[in-house]
Amino acid sequence: MAGRKMRIAVLPGDGIGAEVVEAALPIIEAVGLPWTLEIGDIGWEFWKHEGTPVPPRTWDLITRSAATLVGAVTSKPPREARAELDVGLRSGGRIYVSPVIQLRQRLALFANLRPVADLRGDRFGFVVIRENTEGLYSGIDYREVPEALWPSVGTHPNAARSGREHTAMSIRLQTEFGLRRIIEFGFSFAARHGFHRVTLADKPNVLRNSSELVREIFDDVGRKYPQIEGEILNVDAVGLWIVTRPERFGVIVAENMFGDILSDVGAGVMGGLGLATSGNIGSVGTYFEPVHGSAPALVGAQRANPLAMILTIAQMAAHHGFTTQAQVINAAVRRVIVLNRADELTPDLGGHATTSAAAHAVIGAVK
Ligand code: NAD
Ligand code: IPM
Ligand code: MN
């Protein structure tokens, strides 16, 4: 695809999402990416005033585009979501579903690629591949236990004491289809990118039966990749070792919630959420976004770190075959980080630069 004009849907979203997108977009032209950008609507404002955080015109834009870039969106619990909806929209029985979850599920973007790199040197470099469609975030989540499930759930002593209506539950869905797809993706990603080890972060010592299915599929897929070492570790230990021994990891595959948590731990090891990027990949589409959210406490202060957004653009470029431009962006970000000038880094990295000053520093480093 490299070399041809590619249409990119840009969905800035809420809070610092919009701020970092505005600061980061000029890097696209600075490195000569042949992308046509089209800005679209997503987020909390559209929920409040239109009753959906992803209006139909945005789905249309996403469909017409080769790839999508998202800033960040705000999600609030059901009660707040209902309360902030315009009065005229309240009767429709609308339910707020996070737009990022909608994008992942509706476009079947089953793999969430979250690289963790040592941006100050070369001590570690691994990728968390988070399953994006099932696991504990499958959406099978009940405020009270459905009657059909009570005969088994009600045998737990705490549930029996609380009663069906005062017991909530979520299901960790692990399917052969979903597991095989993500594990295959993990091994094939490792093979293509020169990683020698695939670690599956699970909890086989406690979730004994569901982990057994995971293990069977992991072993089966792993046999096709004899050159890659496969291992299954307890997720809690993986969390510890990401902090203490990050250099031991290559590809880490994890179910949805475990991957959500491990990728934030990885972000911490890199230096914070202001540096962490992600790509949501399926068999057809893609969308890319920083790992961070809309950070309400930072909004308006021009203190949000734009580097995660800039590095996300590089990840998107690399994925779509623009390897040189991706390398130029990555090298420029590394240069700014290593120079460690207070007027070029935002406060989360110890400096006092504004969002736009930090982005300008990277654009300057490109030139
Ligand atoms: P968050 O990522 O917004 O913030 C977590 C912490 O990291 C805060 O201390 C914040 O100040 C800091 N931080 C995040 N990004 C930063 C940046 N670029 N520069 C400097 N510091 C940064 O997570 P949260 O507080 O759990 O969630 C806030 C809102 O964002 C919620 O509505 C949540 O649902 C949403 N959210 C959205 C996404 C997404 O759109 N992909 C991801 C996570 C959270
Ligand atoms: C992330 C976020 C989202 C998730 C939320 C905002 C729905 O935390 O992208 O990591 O849990 O997937
Ligand atoms: Mn998260």
Side-chain angles (χ1 to χ4, degrees):
M1 198 170 297
R4 269 189 287 137
K5 272 269 183 196
M6 217 172 111
R7 187 206 310 277
I8 307 290
V10 179
L11 311 177
D14 301 311
I16 67 160
E19 295 177 10
V20 296
V21 165
E22 189 188 350
L25 285 184
I27 197 82
I28 292 173
E29 208 183 304
V31 299
L33 280 164
W35 293 353
T36 307
L37 308 181
E38 207 171 310
I39 310 285
D41 298 332
I42 200 168
W44 196 251
E45 289 308 303
F46 303 97
W47 163 252
K48 286 195 328 198
H49 305 306
E50 299 184 30
T52 169
V54 196
R57 61 184 175 283
T58 302
W59 286 115
D60 178 57
L61 169 62
I62 293 169
T63 313
R64 285 187 288 113
S65 304
T68 297
L69 189 63
V70 177
V73 290
T74 295
S75 288
K76 299 185 191 180
R79 202 186 324 159
E80 282 97 314
R82 271 193 300 274
E84 292 188 34
L85 200 54
D86 281 356
V87 179
L89 295 168
R90 286 191 199 161
S91 59
R94 293 181 167 79
I95 295 170
Y96 181 88
V97 179
S98 161
V100 299
I101 297 202
Q102 291 195 44
L103 285 171
R104 293 169 193 167
Q105 291 190 341
R106 189 152 153 181
L107 307 176
L109 305 175
F110 62 89
N112 195 327
L113 276 178
R114 299 187 155 183
V116 179
D118 176 9
L119 296 173
R120 289 176 182 81
D122 200 15
R123 199 165 70 83
F124 55 86
F126 63 92
V127 183
V128 176
I129 300 184
R130 166 186 176 186
E131 204 290 326
N132 239 357
T133 60
E134 55 178 39
L136 200 72
Y137 295 177
S138 62
I140 310 177
D141 175 56
Y142 299 104
R143 165 63 186 78
E144 61 184 61
V145 178
E147 276 183 49
L149 299 177
W150 187 244
S152 61
V153 177
T155 60
H156 189 285
N158 298 4
R161 280 197 189 90
S162 305
R164 187 180 68 78
E165 288 170 10
H166 299 282
T167 301
M169 64 177 287
S170 309
I171 286 181
R172 178 174 102 126
L173 189 75
Q174 300 279 254
T175 70
E176 157 105 36
F177 171 75
L179 288 165
R180 193 170 284 282
R181 178 168 76 169
I182 195 69
I183 292 169
E184 285 268 11
F185 186 94
F187 274 101
S188 124
F189 185 91
R192 278 181 282 126
H193 292 86
F195 290 106
H196 305 297
R197 180 182 282 162
V198 174
T199 304
L200 193 117
D202 200 23
K203 192 70 184 178
N205 57 344
V206 176
L207 301 169
R208 304 181 73 83
N209 300 320
S210 56
S211 295
E212 186 61 19
L213 175 64
V214 178
R215 190 182 64 83
E216 285 164 19
I217 296 168
F218 188 76
D219 289 349
D220 188 40
V221 175
R223 270 192 284 278
K224 287 192 282 179
Y225 296 87
Q227 77 283 18
I228 294 170
E229 182 198 336
E231 61 176 2
I232 299 183
L233 297 180
N234 286 320
V235 60
D236 44 355
V238 175
L240 171 73
W241 290 337
I242 285 179
V243 175
T244 57
R245 300 165 63 196
E247 67 287 346
R248 83 173 291 296
F249 293 110
V251 167
I252 299 176
V253 176
E255 69 100 338
N256 213 332
M257 183 180 77
F258 292 163
D260 186 22
I261 297 169
L262 292 180
S263 55
D264 266 33
V265 176
V269 168
M270 275 198 279
L273 278 171
L275 297 172
T277 74
S278 78
N280 296 270
I281 318 293
S283 30
V284 205
T286 62
Y287 96 82
F288 290 79
E289 66 183 344
V291 175
H292 68 72
S294 55
L298 287 181
V299 174
Q302 274 292 312
R303 287 293 180 260
N305 189 345
L307 298 185
M309 191 73 226
I310 290 174
L311 291 166
T312 297
I313 291 171
Q315 189 187 355
M316 179 160 158
H319 182 85
H320 288 279
F322 302 98
T323 339
T324 312
Q325 291 94 331
Q327 279 164 357
V328 171
I329 297 175
N330 286 329
V333 169
R334 278 174 178 269
R335 199 173 133 83
V336 168
I337 290 176
V338 170
L339 276 176
N340 201 23
R341 289 180 49 160
D343 59 346
E344 293 186 344
L345 297 174
T346 45
D348 56 312
L349 296 181
H352 53 69
T354 60
T355 304
S356 66
H360 274 121
V362 177
I363 293 165
V366 161
K367 289 173 179 154

